[in-house]
């Protein structure tokens, strides 16, 4: 790799990292708005800015580095308690965050950066800083040096990584500690929650029994603690007792700084390697040697408990180092194309494995069989593992919506909170990416049409703050995502009247509640009294439905008037694998996604005759129209005496698909079709069967709508003829 | 057995908030409207911890802390005082009277529970 390439690679990583940091920055800022006094949040904001600035300068994004520097300086002052966190500051920083993103996008070929706006934002920050320095000029002069030291301190830690530091803490309570109702054991337990702690109690100050006063605290503790939460987290533990106790905190290992292995060979080892002494002799001599601690204790230089404490520290550091080596290797960053390629390969392996199993069955050889079974087990395990690599928690998408909601409610003059649940639910990366737009539409709609204005809410006896609740969770091979609002709910009568007016339904149509609610997903439907800048013009929800269905998911809607609306999205865990029903028509194989299949029934020649050749069947008294697959795909050959109808349900409509044989359930790896077949309607992909035959995967919703279109046009032609 | 916490405050809303939060976390709560009321209620009650306001009629928070520390049964229980940002001297007074710690008003339920966990375990 040439140095240019290396730089490009670094740029790529910087862009990726910066995007993550900006997301982190945003969520930290929004949290900070709620808890302006939280120093940890201020720290998070500062660190994000610091990292963007540092790596930006490193990869030649000088404009970004320069711009970010001002923001960083301001937050350093906030961190030192010189500037308070105000709404103005948060707004300004959010603007700066967006500006940084524009700068990054501009470097990627996006639209030009508005320089004037950058200047405006920077002068905003300067104003905030200036306000303060007028009051205490001396303090800010001091803070300059403080900034310098803190920057160098930060540089030592690896950029963009949380630094793990080990501290040595001596906690010596005042004898009268108990009189304040403090239990030191609780403090030590709390310390254990901050990080990995080794605690040694020192009892040398405790007198003999006759002089002992049980109401005084004479024990003190030596603690070695390793944590990524910083020294403040340790100080916080002792906040109530800091003026009553001696709490000494020293840094003994700043994750990685002392990592160099400076181990020298010991004398014995050198002699041994030269062959001058024998191992047994050496061991015998070493056995006679006293340990340093023991010698010191015997000479009365220190006592045993202090040596124990020092040994505990030694052991602690050793353990932490070992742990660190493990975690350092625990995570790597890989381009997603590599993963896609891996999934592809695993898919092919699964196919080959299926062929192998089938071939082996024909040989009926015991040895071969057991090898094949072993290969099968490994293949499935490999497949599951590969799929899990592509899984990402949905949380990052959720935090994006916090910002969306904040801006939306400001635009609309509403007061809305976003609460989330199940942010750690994992989904295929591709699914998460494609989920973003539909979710944005749904949340916009919830805020715009669902949540009422604050005064309306109060009049209705609700809290003036509306809530949008996002939940994600697993349900079998699916993930359920719920968007719940406590707004005014859907009004059935209004929806119905609107749909009639728009010509979507007939005035005399009889619809169930569910069907009426589903109307909001119909193309060209909008209930807003007037168009707002937010919800657009009613193109949202039908697109949502289409997008979700493209992901082989479903949308469900429930609503109670005056109480709120819940939209539930049901999505497959992954797009690469599908549970299907394998069917056969003449010599061709098809796969019907199992998620839409309800049942299979037989269709005899008599049944067809009874319905006068109309494509309608009677499934236990219910009328179910069917599509004859062989007719639709123009498959030649005679129809068997008894055919099978696979009854599916799509959008609450039941439609049958007539095939020759139902072979059974089949889990398949989806292959996309080539360019030539791209425009074939009703086929979503293909899969390769065990014996190498190709089976086409049917796109059921598409097939139904295509056939519906053909039927209605032929009906109209018949009428006009 | 769930631990019992006494909340002492002349403001009904603060008592309500403290009480609601602690009950939600599984503690038993005893409410008292001022220091005098608290002292009457604490004797004989199995109180494990006290959360008290500082400014109250009849007997204020500082007085209450001193009085509780003088009772043999409650000599070592955790006592948390509710202070405001500006009451630094009062905070010092409370500490020397024997308070275990403090919470600065206004606070959120999570902060309250954090402090309770810190001193009560």
């Amino acid at each position: 790799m040439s140095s240019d390439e290396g730089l490009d690679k670094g740029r790529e990583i910087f862009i990726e990292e910066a995007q993550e940091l900006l997301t982190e920055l945003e969520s930290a800022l929004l949290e900070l708005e709620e808890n302006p006094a939280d120093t940890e949040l201020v720290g998070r904001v500062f660190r994000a800015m610091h990292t963007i600035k540092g790596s930006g300068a490193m990869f030649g994004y000088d404009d970004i580095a320069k711009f970010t520097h001002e923001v960083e300086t301001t937050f350093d002052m906030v961190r030192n308690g010189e500037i308070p966190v105000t709404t103005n500051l948060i707004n300004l920083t959010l603007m700066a965050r967006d500006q940084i993103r524009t700068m990054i996008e501009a470097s990627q070929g996006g639209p030009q950066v508005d320089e004037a706006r950058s200047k405006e934002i920077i002068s905003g920050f300067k104003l905030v800083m200036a306000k303060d320095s007028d009051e205490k000029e001396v303090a800010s002069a001091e803070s300059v040096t403080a900034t310098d030291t803190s920057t160098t301190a930060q540089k030592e830690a690896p950029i963009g990584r949380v630094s793990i530091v080990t501290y040595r803490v001596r906690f010596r309570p005042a004898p009268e500690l108990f009189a304040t109702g403090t239990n030191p054991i609780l403090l030590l337990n709390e310390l254990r929650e901050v990080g990995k702690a080794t605690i040694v109690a020192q009892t040398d100050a405790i007198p003999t029994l006759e002089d002992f006063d049980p109401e005084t605290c004479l024990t003190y503790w030596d603690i070695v603690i390793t944590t990524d939460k910083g020294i403040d987290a340790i100080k916080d533990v002792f906040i109530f007792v800091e003026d009553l106790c001696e709490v000494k905190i020293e840094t003994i290992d700043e994750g990685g700084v002392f990592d160099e292995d400076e181990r020298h060979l010991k004398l014995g080892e050198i002699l041994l390697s030269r062959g001058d002494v024998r191992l047994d002799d050496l061991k015998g001599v070493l056995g006679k040697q006293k340990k340093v601690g023991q010698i010191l204790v015997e000479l009365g230089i220190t006592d045993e408990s202090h040596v124990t404490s020092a040994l505990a520290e030694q052991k602690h550091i050793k353990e932490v180092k070992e742990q660190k080596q493990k975690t350092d290797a625990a995570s790597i960053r890989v381009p997603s194309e590599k993963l896609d390629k891996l999934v592809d390969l695993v898919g092919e392996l699964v196919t080959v494995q299926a062929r192998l199993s089938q071939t082996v069955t024909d040989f009926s050889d015991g040895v071969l069989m057991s090898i094949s079974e072993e290969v099968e087990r490994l293949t499935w395990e490999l497949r599951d593992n590969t799929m899990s690599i592509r899984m990402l928690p949905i949380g990052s998408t959720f935090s994006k919506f916090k910002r969306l909601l904040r801006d939306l409610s400001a635009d609309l003059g509403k007061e809305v909170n976003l609460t989330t649940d199940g942010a750690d639910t994992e989904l295929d990366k591709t699914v998460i990416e494609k989920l973003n737009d539909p979710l944005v539409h749904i949340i916009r709609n919830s805020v715009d049409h669902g949540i009422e204005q604050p005064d309306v809410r109060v009049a209705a006896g609700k809290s003036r703050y509306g809530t949008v609740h996002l939940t994600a969770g697993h349900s079998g091979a699916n993930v359920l995502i719920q968007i719940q609002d406590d707004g005014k709910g859907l009004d059935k009568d209004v929806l119905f009247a609107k749909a009639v007016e728009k010509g979507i339904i007939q005035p005399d149509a009889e619809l169930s509640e569910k069907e009426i609610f589903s109307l909001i997903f119909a193309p060209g439907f909008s209930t807003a009294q007037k168009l707002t800048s937010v919800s657009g013009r009613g193109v949202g929800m039908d697109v949502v439905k289409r997008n979700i269905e493209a992901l082989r998911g479903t949308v469900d809607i429930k609503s109670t008037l005056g109480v709120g609306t819940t939209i539930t999205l049901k999505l497959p865990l992954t797009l690469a694998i599908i549970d299907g029903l394998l069917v056969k028509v003449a010599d061709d194989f098809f796969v019907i996604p199992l998620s839409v299949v309800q049942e299979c029934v037989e269709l005899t020649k008599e049944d067809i005759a009874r319905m006068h050749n109309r494509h309608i069947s009677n499934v236990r008294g219910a009328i179910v129209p069917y599509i004859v697959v062989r007719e639709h795909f123009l498959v030649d050959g005679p129809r068997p005496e008894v055919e099978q109808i696979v009854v599916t349900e799509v959008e609450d409509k039941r439609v049958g698909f007539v095939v020759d044989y139902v072979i059974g359930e089949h889990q398949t790896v989806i292959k996309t079709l080539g360019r030539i077949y791209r425009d074939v309607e009703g086929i979503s992909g293909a899969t390769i069967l065990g014996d190498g035959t190709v089976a086409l995967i049917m796109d059921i919703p598409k097939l139904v709508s295509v056939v519906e279109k053909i039927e209605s046009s032929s009906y109209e032609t018949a009428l006009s003829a | 057995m769930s631990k019992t916490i006494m909340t002492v405050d002349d403001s009904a809303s603060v008592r309500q908030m403290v009480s609601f939060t602690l009950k939600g976390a599984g503690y038993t709560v005893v409410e008292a409207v001022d220091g005098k009321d608290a002292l009457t209620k604490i004797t004989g009650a199995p109180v494990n911890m006290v959360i008290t306001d500082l400014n109250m009629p009849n007997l204020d928070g500082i007085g209450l802390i001193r009085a509780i520390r003088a009772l043999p049964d409650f000599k070592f229980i955790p006592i948390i005082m509710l202070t405001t940002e500006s009451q630094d001297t009062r905070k010092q007074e409370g500490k020397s009277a024997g308070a275990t710690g403090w919470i600065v008003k206004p606070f959120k339920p999570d902060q309250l529970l954090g402090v309770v966990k810190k001193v009560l375990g």
Side-chain angles (χ1 to χ4, degrees):
Chain A
M1 192 190 280
S2 76
S3 68
D4 257 13
E5 267 177 67
L7 199 62
D8 277 352
K9 199 91 201 152
R11 284 213 181 108
E12 252 170 56
I13 294 171
F14 167 70
I15 301 280
E16 211 171 298
E17 185 189 65
Q19 303 282 15
E20 278 167 27
L21 282 167
L22 289 175
T23 314
E24 148 75 10
L25 182 64
E26 185 170 56
S27 63
L29 280 170
L30 295 175
E31 275 177 57
L32 188 63
E33 189 171 35
E34 281 166 30
N35 314 306
D38 194 329
T39 49
E40 181 151 337
L41 289 172
V42 175
R44 267 167 66 188
V45 172
F46 177 82
R47 279 195 299 274
M49 285 294 181
H50 183 77
T51 312
I52 292 175
K53 185 184 94 170
S55 27
M58 211 156 71
F59 295 113
Y61 294 97
D62 292 333
D63 52 337
I64 295 178
K66 209 173 130 214
F67 180 77
T68 315
H69 175 74
E70 300 294 334
V71 191
E72 187 202 356
T73 316
T74 311
F75 267 86
D76 192 47
M77 290 171 80
V78 175
R79 205 168 58 147
N80 295 336
E82 289 159 30
I83 303 179
V85 175
T86 58
T87 316
N88 177 35
L89 181 65
I90 301 266
N91 283 337
L92 208 54
T93 318
L94 280 173
M95 271 191 259
R97 177 229 171 240
D98 291 348
Q99 192 70 3
I100 295 170
R101 204 181 52 181
T102 323
M103 287 172 164
I104 291 172
E105 277 165 6
S107 74
Q108 301 276 88
Q112 276 295 309
V113 183
D114 182 357
E115 296 286 346
R117 190 173 159 77
S118 299
K119 284 208 180 97
E120 209 175 288
I121 295 172
I122 287 182
S123 57
F125 276 108
K126 289 206 165 127
L127 204 67
V128 172
M129 288 190 272
K131 238 187 250 167
D132 202 73
S133 58
D134 281 351
E135 289 163 22
K136 20 178 172 165
E137 258 173 322
V138 190
S140 70
E142 270 170 17
S143 88
V144 175
T145 41
T147 320
D148 286 349
T149 47
S150 72
T151 343
T152 38
Q154 294 243 340
K155 258 180 206 147
E156 279 169 21
I159 286 167
R161 233 198 305 167
V162 195
S163 59
I164 297 169
V165 183
T166 304
Y167 301 95
R168 182 192 293 142
V169 184
R170 172 158 291 181
F171 169 46
R172 189 193 272 271
E176 59 272 21
L177 179 76
F178 295 146
T180 64
T182 306
N183 182 349
I185 302 299
L186 293 178
L187 296 179
L188 295 174
N189 287 344
E190 203 181 326
L191 207 54
R192 283 197 177 98
E193 282 171 24
V194 173
K196 179 187 160 56
T198 305
I199 300 172
V200 177
Q202 299 291 3
T203 51
D204 52 85
I206 299 178
T208 49
L209 196 56
E210 36 293 17
D211 302 323
F212 185 63
D213 175 3
E215 291 191 358
T216 57
C217 180
L218 295 171
T219 314
Y220 62 98
W221 289 270
D222 281 336
I223 303 132
V224 180
I225 180 166
T226 306
T227 177
D228 56 356
K229 294 188 183 129
I231 198 163
D232 287 342
I234 299 174
K235 284 184 180 159
D236 278 353
V237 171
F238 298 104
I239 185 163
F240 289 157
V241 296
E242 60 188 3
D243 45 5
L244 203 58
C245 304
E246 179 199 334
V247 180
K248 207 164 75 190
I249 307 175
E250 296 162 276
T251 308
I252 51 175
D253 186 331
E254 258 177 299
V257 177
F258 305 116
D259 242 1
E260 294 304 312
D261 200 350
E262 288 175 8
R263 191 172 161 274
H264 301 292
L265 282 179
K266 289 179 184 143
L267 177 67
E269 285 169 329
I270 298 172
L271 287 170
L272 193 65
S273 67
R274 288 181 180 181
D276 295 339
V277 293
R278 286 191 306 130
L279 184 64
D280 287 350
D281 294 338
L282 184 65
K283 274 188 180 163
V285 173
L286 286 177
K288 283 181 199 147
Q289 204 180 349
K290 282 181 187 166
K291 298 214 167 111
V292 179
Q294 208 180 337
I295 299 170
L296 287 171
V297 172
E298 273 171 22
L299 291 175
I301 295 171
T302 183
D303 58 29
E304 205 160 328
S305 56
H306 284 103
V307 173
T308 317
S309 171
L311 283 174
E313 179 177 318
Q314 192 182 37
K315 189 167 160 238
H316 179 99
I317 301 274
K318 209 175 131 206
E319 280 171 13
V320 167
K321 287 244 168 86
E322 281 167 9
Q323 186 67 37
K324 188 173 172 295
Q325 273 158 4
K326 273 185 217 155
T327 47
D328 271 1
S331 156
I332 51 167
R333 205 187 277 268
V334 178
S336 53
E337 303 94 68
K338 282 195 182 173
L339 279 185
D340 291 344
K341 181 75 192 159
L342 181 65
V343 171
D344 252 21
L345 286 173
V346 169
E348 281 179 32
L349 185 64
V350 169
T351 312
V352 171
Q353 184 274 320
R355 279 174 70 181
L356 177 67
S357 309
Q358 207 160 34
T359 320
V360 165
T361 327
D362 300 341
F363 278 96
S364 63
D365 179 327
V367 181
L368 217 52
M369 188 77 93
S370 79
I371 295 175
S372 155
E373 275 168 7
E374 189 80 343
V375 172
E376 180 173 344
R377 187 183 61 79
L378 286 173
T379 311
W380 289 122
E381 223 166 274
L382 183 64
R383 195 206 68 183
D384 290 348
N385 261 310
T386 314
M387 291 304 157
S388 73
I389 295 175
R390 291 175 55 90
M391 296 293 188
L392 286 177
I394 198 167
S396 57
T397 314
F398 276 7
S399 59
K400 252 188 265 169
F401 295 137
K402 255 198 166 153
R403 174 73 187 276
L404 173 74
L405 212 70
R406 183 186 184 272
D407 294 353
L408 270 184
S409 27
D411 283 355
L412 294 167
K414 294 178 180 181
E415 287 167 27
V416 193
N417 288 323
L418 180 75
T419 52
T420 59
D421 218 350
D424 51 357
T425 305
E426 291 193 329
L427 256 169
D428 193 288
K429 187 175 168 356
T430 335
V431 180
I432 289 188
E433 279 164 6
K434 293 192 177 156
L435 205 54
N436 189 47
D437 289 353
L439 280 177
V440 168
H441 272 302
I442 294 175
I443 292 173
R444 284 185 169 197
N445 266 284
S446 293
V447 177
D448 195 13
H449 303 313
I451 307 280
E452 312 90 329
Q453 295 289 342
D455 47 331
V456 179
R457 290 184 63 88
V458 172
K462 294 184 187 180
S463 147
R464 59 183 287 123
Y465 299 98
T467 307
V468 174
H469 187 64
L470 272 177
T471 333
H474 286 292
S475 156
N478 293 301
V479 169
L480 295 183
I481 294 171
Q482 262 186 359
I483 306 95
Q484 200 172 359
D485 70 63
D486 63 350
K488 58 175 184 253
L490 295 176
D491 190 327
K492 267 184 286 179
D493 301 334
V494 173
L495 288 179
F496 193 90
K498 195 84 184 175
V500 171
E501 187 195 312
K502 296 259 172 187
I504 296 168
I505 51 168
Q506 296 298 315
D508 54 353
E510 278 181 38
L511 299 178
S512 68
E513 188 182 69
K514 207 171 170 184
E515 283 167 326
I516 296 177
F517 289 158
S518 306
L519 286 172
I520 65 164
F521 296 115
F525 187 91
S526 170
T527 53
Q529 293 304 314
K530 51 181 191 294
L531 299 174
T532 63
S533 63
V534 177
S535 292
R537 37 206 102 251
V539 288
M541 292 308 253
D542 61 314
V543 177
V544 167
K545 196 177 170 74
R546 244 186 289 139
N547 284 350
I548 298 296
E549 273 165 7
L551 290 168
R552 295 205 317 275
T554 56
V555 186
D556 185 52
I557 182 161
K558 285 199 181 69
S559 183
T560 314
L561 195 60
V563 180
T565 308
T566 304
I567 294 178
T568 308
L569 310 179
K570 188 172 164 189
L571 294 156
L573 267 181
T574 162
L575 290 181
I577 286 199
I578 182 174
D579 267 322
L581 192 69
L582 187 64
V583 298
K584 197 175 175 193
V585 178
D587 290 330
D588 294 334
F589 293 94
F590 293 91
V591 174
I592 300 174
L594 208 56
S595 55
V596 296
V597 173
Q598 277 200 327
E599 58 182 319
C600 299
V601 291
E602 287 187 347
L603 179 73
T604 59
K605 288 251 155 88
E606 292 89 71
D607 292 333
I608 301 171
R610 212 175 298 136
M611 289 295 178
H612 309 289
N613 271 336
R614 278 177 306 179
H615 288 177
I616 288 169
S617 68
N618 181 341
V619 180
R620 288 191 302 279
I623 300 293
V624 176
Y626 59 73
I627 296 167
V628 182
V629 175
R630 109 180 4 251
E631 284 175 8
H632 188 80
F633 289 114
L634 306 173
V635 181
D636 290 331
R639 292 171 71 157
E641 275 304 306
V642 180
E643 290 171 289
Q644 303 284 332
I645 310 178
V646 179
V647 182
T648 65
E649 192 186 76
V650 180
E651 295 173 28
D652 298 323
K653 274 182 289 188
R654 299 219 292 170
V655 178
F657 286 83
V658 177
V659 300
D660 291 2
Y661 305 105
V662 173
I663 295 169
E665 265 184 52
H666 185 78
Q667 202 179 41
T668 51
V669 180
I670 302 174
K671 296 267 162 198
T672 43
L673 290 170
R675 217 150 38 90
I676 300 166
Y677 303 99
R678 197 173 43 191
D679 296 329
V680 180
E681 284 187 322
I683 296 294
S684 60
T687 180
I688 303 165
L689 299 179
D691 57 0
T693 337
V694 172
L696 295 173
I697 300 165
M698 303 210 295
D699 183 348
I700 301 296
K702 192 82 204 179
L703 271 175
V704 171
S705 72
V706 167
V707 173
E708 264 177 356
K709 223 178 276 166
I710 298 170
E711 292 284 313
S712 67
S713 68
S714 66
Y715 178 69
E716 272 160 27
T717 340
L719 279 186
S720 58
Chain B
M1 204 190 81
S2 83
K3 294 193 169 164
T4 304
I5 301 174
M6 177 182 266
T7 163
V8 192
D9 207 304
D10 53 337
S11 148
S13 62
V14 174
R15 281 203 312 272
Q16 168 79 23
M17 188 264 193
V18 172
S19 176
F20 181 78
T21 307
L22 294 179
K23 278 179 185 161
Y27 295 102
T28 310
V29 181
V30 181
E31 290 185 28
V33 296
D34 58 37
K36 213 170 149 195
D37 188 29
L39 275 181
T40 328
K41 284 180 177 161
I42 203 170
T43 36
V47 173
N48 302 101
M49 175 181 173
V50 175
I51 299 173
T52 177
D53 191 22
L54 288 185
N55 299 316
M56 288 181 296
N58 294 324
L59 178 63
D60 73 355
I62 309 282
L64 175 66
I65 295 170
R66 280 204 191 97
I68 291 176
R69 285 283 178 244
L71 298 169
D73 282 353
F74 302 102
K75 203 167 169 182
F76 301 123
I77 67 162
I79 303 175
I80 292 292
M81 50 185 169
L82 301 180
T83 66
T84 54
E85 207 64 76
S86 56
Q87 284 180 318
D88 217 37
T89 49
R90 297 279 283 166
K91 195 167 93 183
Q92 285 306 328
E93 260 182 81
K95 274 162 99 177
S96 43
T100 314
W102 60 90
I103 305 178
V104 178
K105 285 192 284 189
F107 53 87
K108 289 190 173 170
D110 287 349
Q111 293 169 312
L112 175 67
L113 289 174
V115 171
V116 169
K117 191 173 171 292
K118 189 180 176 72
V119 298
L120 200 53

